[in-house]
């Protein structure tokens, strides 16, 4: 059995805890490797290595740090196919989707290549008599990132790409379900010229997360995962004096107004609801058609579209999506489908009986469609995170607007319409962090920022873009004068601008 070890101070660190996690191949259901879980002492060794490396790294001029990022980008492009294959074999998403996962992370690295420009401070000449005021952004020291299984390349790069470019060192604790690509990313950062200790990867479960959250030398923690754990990470990390941003779960709605281009909407919904087996925090698992005519037409077209979907192994270039990440997760999705029926929703398409010939032990589940889903239902309130699309019918624009606005989650939302005024009003009033207008998965580009509202994010700053730079730096403001001539009298009142 292959063991996946930690990566600390530029080299492999073989764990000694005797605790492991199984890493499955979701296509076959077999355990393909086991990942070592770190001890507190191993985590401390990583933090000490990171703290040591950070001093020299922060003193390296920003242009040289950017050159490492440029080289890292080139190396990822060189290894794209291999990385995508590994990613698919542990996660289950199809190869083209794994390449998208890597590419979206790479776009944050491209943003980080511009860090010399982004880090330039502000300067006011002559803010007072002979007084100049300027500000600079300085790194925090050692930062840490804790990431979910569903984007094992993109989300680590959201975090360490910015954190390292601005002069921090980084401890990454990736998901224990698909940990190989994160280790490869750290190895590639070393090959790109990052000094040993600047990026470290330690594996583990709650115990490793707790060691990070309570470690006195870690200054900031970025988390992405499910909401209850995000909330716990936020509370525990801030209680230990750290800066914390913690992104959580989602239940994104797609609002379909009667004037929408229905043929396009159905294509968009199909990809956004079932792509990556619905295991995306920006998936669209809820569709809200406005008016009975819209709902009936949409339902009919969705049933026909679902019939064309191909579920296959992650290496099948024709498959629209592959298996889900684990047997446990598959069972949880099937359970939600059962509960949905019990709650009184109409199960129009049932994906539970899907089996892929030759891969009977794989974690596959077919696409499911519910109609008649109502606000009070558990299956509407909670995140299913699987290939299940729920139709919630609304009578009016106001009712449709209220549904995502009042939902506990507020990550993303999309509206489909040809009416610019209605779209504009919706975007302005909806109580959700990221909005798509005829864009089903509105993940912002790297130089904007990513973040939801309500229980989809805890903390004040978003991921990447300028918000990411703010999260991983602290601002220092200097007020300077160079007096000459006679000694001035003491001033006992607060200095003010005359
Ligand atoms: P998860 O919450 O189970 O795990 C996330 C991380 O937390 C992992 O590194 C895991 O090892 C760690 N962890 C697990 N149990 C823990 C515990 N009890 N205490 C402390 N740490 C613990 O999430 P997941 O299943 O890996 O990922 C799916 C979830 O992530 C979904 O809810 C999805 O919506 C969310 N997600 C959110 C975003 C976003 O940006 N808002 C992006 C991607 C995924």
């Amino acid at each position: 059995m292959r063991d996946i070890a930690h990566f600390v101070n530029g080299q492999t660190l073989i764990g000694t805890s005797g605790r492991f996690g199984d890493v499955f191949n979701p296509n076959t259901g077999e355990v393909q490797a086991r990942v070592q879980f770190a001890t507190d002492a191993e985590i401390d060794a990583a933090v000490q290595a990171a703290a040591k490396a950070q001093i020299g790294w922060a003193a390296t001029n920003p242009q040289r740090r950017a050159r490492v990022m440029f080289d890292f980008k080139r190396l990822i492009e060189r290894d794209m196919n291999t990385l995508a294959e590994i990613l698919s074999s542990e996660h289950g998403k199809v190869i083209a989707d794994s390449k998208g996962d890597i590419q979206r992370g790479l776009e944050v690295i491209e943003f980080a290549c511009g860090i010399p420009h982004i880090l330039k401070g502000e300067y006011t000449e002559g803010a007072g008599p002979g007084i100049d005021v300027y500000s600079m952004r300085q790194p925090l020291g050692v930062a840490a990132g804790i990431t979910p299984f569903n984007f094992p390349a993109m989300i680590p790069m959201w975090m360490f790409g910015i954190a390292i470019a601005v002069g921090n060192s980084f401890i990454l604790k990736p998901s224990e379900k698909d940990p190989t690509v994160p280790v490869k990313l750290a190895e590639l950062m070393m090959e790109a010229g990052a000094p040993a200790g600047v990026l470290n990867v330690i594996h583990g479960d709650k115990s490793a997360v707790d060691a990070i959250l309570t470690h006195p030398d870690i200054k900031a923690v970025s988390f992405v995962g499910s909401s209850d754990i995000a909330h716990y990470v936020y509370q525990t990390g801030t209680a230990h004096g750290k800066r914390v941003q913690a992104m959580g779960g989602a239940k994104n709605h797609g609002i379909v107004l009667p004037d929408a281009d229905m043929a396009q909407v159905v294509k968009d919904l199909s990809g956004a609801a079932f792509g990556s087996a619905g295991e995306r925090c920006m998936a669209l698992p809820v569709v809200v058609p406005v008016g009975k005519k819209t709902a009936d037409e949409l339902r009919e077209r969705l049933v026909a579209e679902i019939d064309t979907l191909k579920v296959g192994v992650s290496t099948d270039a024709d498959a629209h999506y592959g298996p889900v990440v684990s047997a446990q997760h598959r069972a949880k999705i099937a359970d939600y489908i059962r509960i949905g029926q019990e709650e009184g929703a109409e199960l129009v398409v049932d994906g539970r009986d899907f089996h892929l010939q030759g891969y009977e032990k794989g974690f596959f589940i077919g696409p499911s469609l519910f109609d008649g889903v109502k606000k009070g239902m558990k299956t509407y309130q909670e995140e299913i995170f699987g290939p299940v699309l729920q139709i919630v019918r609304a009578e009016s624009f106001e009712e449709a607007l209220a549904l995502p606005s009042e939902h506990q989650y507020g990550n993303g939302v999309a509206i489909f319409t040809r009416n610019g005024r209605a779209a504009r009003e919706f975007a302005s009033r909806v109580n959700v962090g990221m909005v798509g207008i005829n864009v089903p998965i509105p993940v912002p580009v790297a130089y904007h920022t990513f973040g939801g509202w309500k229980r989809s994010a805890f903390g004040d700053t978003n991921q990447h873009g300028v918000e990411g730079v703010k999260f991983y730096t602290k601002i220092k403001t200097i007020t300077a004068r160079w007096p000459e001539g006679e000694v001035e009298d003491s001033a006992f009142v607060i200095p003010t601008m005359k």
Side-chain angles (χ1 to χ4, degrees):
M1 179 69 64
R2 180 169 62 96
D3 266 15
I4 299 164
H6 316 293
F7 187 81
V8 171
N9 206 18
Q11 51 196 344
T12 300
L13 175 74
I14 308 288
T16 56
S17 70
R19 291 177 64 233
F20 300 90
D22 287 334
V23 178
F24 289 90
N25 178 338
N27 294 301
T28 61
E30 285 162 0
V31 177
Q32 56 167 316
R34 51 181 204 169
V35 58
Q36 300 172 351
F37 285 177
T39 61
D40 286 2
E42 285 156 359
I43 293 167
D44 185 54
V47 176
Q48 297 318 323
K52 200 161 159 237
Q54 195 267 335
I55 297 164
W57 182 242
T60 304
N61 73 56
Q63 201 159 355
R64 287 183 61 188
R65 293 201 303 258
R67 281 186 194 136
V68 171
M69 292 303 176
F70 271 110
D71 273 353
F72 179 60
K73 169 179 153 60
R74 186 179 52 77
L75 294 173
I76 290 195
E77 283 163 352
R78 180 195 71 187
D79 291 356
M80 176 66 91
N81 289 340
T82 319
L83 289 168
E85 276 163 27
I86 299 169
L87 198 160
S88 284
S89 78
E90 291 184 355
H91 177 285
K93 62 176 83 172
V94 295
I95 300 270
D97 203 26
S98 290
K99 287 186 180 169
D101 184 334
I102 298 164
Q103 180 59 33
R104 286 307 295 249
L106 212 47
E107 289 168 14
V108 174
I109 302 302
E110 288 167 354
F111 170 76
C113 289
I115 214 70
H117 173 69
I118 297 160
L119 271 186
K120 284 186 308 196
E122 295 170 329
Y123 197 100
T124 304
E125 183 193 16
I131 294 176
D132 302 325
V133 178
Y134 57 100
S135 64
M136 55 178 84
R137 290 207 158 267
Q138 296 188 327
L140 306 175
V142 181
I146 300 157
T147 54
F149 81 84
N150 70 324
F151 281 100
M154 176 183 82
I155 293 178
M157 284 192 266
W158 278 1
M159 298 174 179
F160 76 71
I162 308 281
I164 290 177
V166 300
N168 298 289
S169 55
F170 203 80
I171 309 285
L172 174 65
K173 204 304 283 171
S175 169
E176 63 278 32
K177 298 192 178 100
D178 43 14
T180 301
V181 167
V183 175
K184 296 272 175 220
L185 296 179
E187 288 169 356
L188 291 178
M189 275 292 284
M190 297 301 113
E191 194 180 337
V198 163
L199 177 56
N200 309 276
V201 182
I202 51 126
H203 305 290
D205 52 7
K206 181 179 189 317
S207 148
V209 171
D210 286 342
I212 287 171
L213 294 176
T214 54
H215 199 295
D217 296 334
I218 294 178
K219 303 300 178 203
V221 176
S222 181
F223 173 91
V224 177
S226 50
S227 286
D228 286 348
I229 299 175
H231 190 222
Y232 168 77
V233 164
Y234 182 75
Q235 285 190 314
T236 313
T238 52
H240 284 82
K242 299 180 199 322
R243 194 177 278 194
V244 182
Q245 54 175 194
M247 275 61 195
K251 190 87 177 187
N252 306 326
H253 295 52
I255 312 300
V256 184
L257 297 191
D259 67 350
D261 175 347
M262 207 56 88
Q264 185 61 54
V265 168
V266 167
K267 292 285 177 200
D268 288 347
L269 280 175
S270 169
F274 302 116
S276 196
E279 293 171 320
R280 290 184 185 137
C281 68
M282 288 297 275
L284 270 189
V286 175
V287 57
V288 184
V290 176
K292 183 171 182 326
K293 188 165 166 287
T294 315
D296 290 345
E297 184 187 347
L298 184 72
R299 170 179 162 155
E300 195 183 323
R301 285 181 183 250
L302 277 172
V303 171
E305 183 67 21
I306 288 170
D307 205 39
T308 69
L309 291 183
K310 183 178 182 199
V311 183
V313 286
S314 54
T315 47
D316 180 350
D318 295 330
H320 293 103
Y321 74 84
V324 299
V325 73
S326 66
Q328 195 188 14
H329 190 49
R330 192 197 175 287
K332 187 175 148 194
I333 296 164
D335 233 37
Y336 271 121
I337 296 173
R338 178 185 54 76
I339 296 168
Q341 276 185 300
E342 286 169 9
E343 290 181 313
E346 182 192 353
L347 184 58
V348 183
V349 180
D350 184 354
R352 284 173 297 181
D353 282 338
F354 176 83
H355 294 286
L356 189 65
Q357 212 185 354
Y359 294 90
E360 284 75 12
K361 296 219 169 96
F363 310 141
F364 295 95
I365 183 159
S368 294
L369 179 69
F370 274 109
D371 195 357
V373 175
K374 299 274 188 288
K375 235 165 73 167
M377 293 179 179
K378 177 181 165 72
T379 49
Y380 169 72
Q381 289 299 334
E382 296 182 6
E383 179 182 42
I384 299 175
F385 219 54
V388 181
L389 179 57
Q390 298 169 293
I391 301 176
V392 183
R393 293 173 176 237
E395 291 299 326
S396 64
F397 175 86
E398 289 298 328
E399 193 186 336
L401 171 70
L403 282 162
S405 296
E406 289 168 9
H407 201 278
Q408 62 164 331
Y409 294 118
N411 215 36
V413 68
I415 184 163
F416 301 92
T417 179
R418 289 186 168 100
N419 182 334
R421 198 181 48 75
R424 185 171 182 274
E425 183 171 346
F426 180 85
S428 166
R429 288 174 59 199
V430 71
N431 186 20
V432 170
M434 291 173 282
V435 182
I437 297 175
N438 298 314
V439 170
I441 306 185
V443 176
V445 290
Y447 44 95
H448 283 257
T449 72
F450 183 105
W453 288 3
K454 297 178 280 182
R455 275 181 56 77
S456 291
F458 304 91
D460 301 321
T461 44
N462 277 2
Q463 299 279 347
H464 63 69
V466 172
E467 290 261 305
V469 173
K470 283 188 181 154
F471 181 73
Y472 290 112
T473 54
K474 51 195 174 189
I475 196 158
K476 185 180 278 178
T477 309
I478 292 114
T479 303
R481 67 171 180 152
W482 306 93
E484 57 180 4
E486 288 184 13
V487 174
E488 295 170 19
D489 278 348
S490 308
F492 292 96
V493 292
I494 180 87
T496 56
M497 200 53 67
K498 301 256 172 7

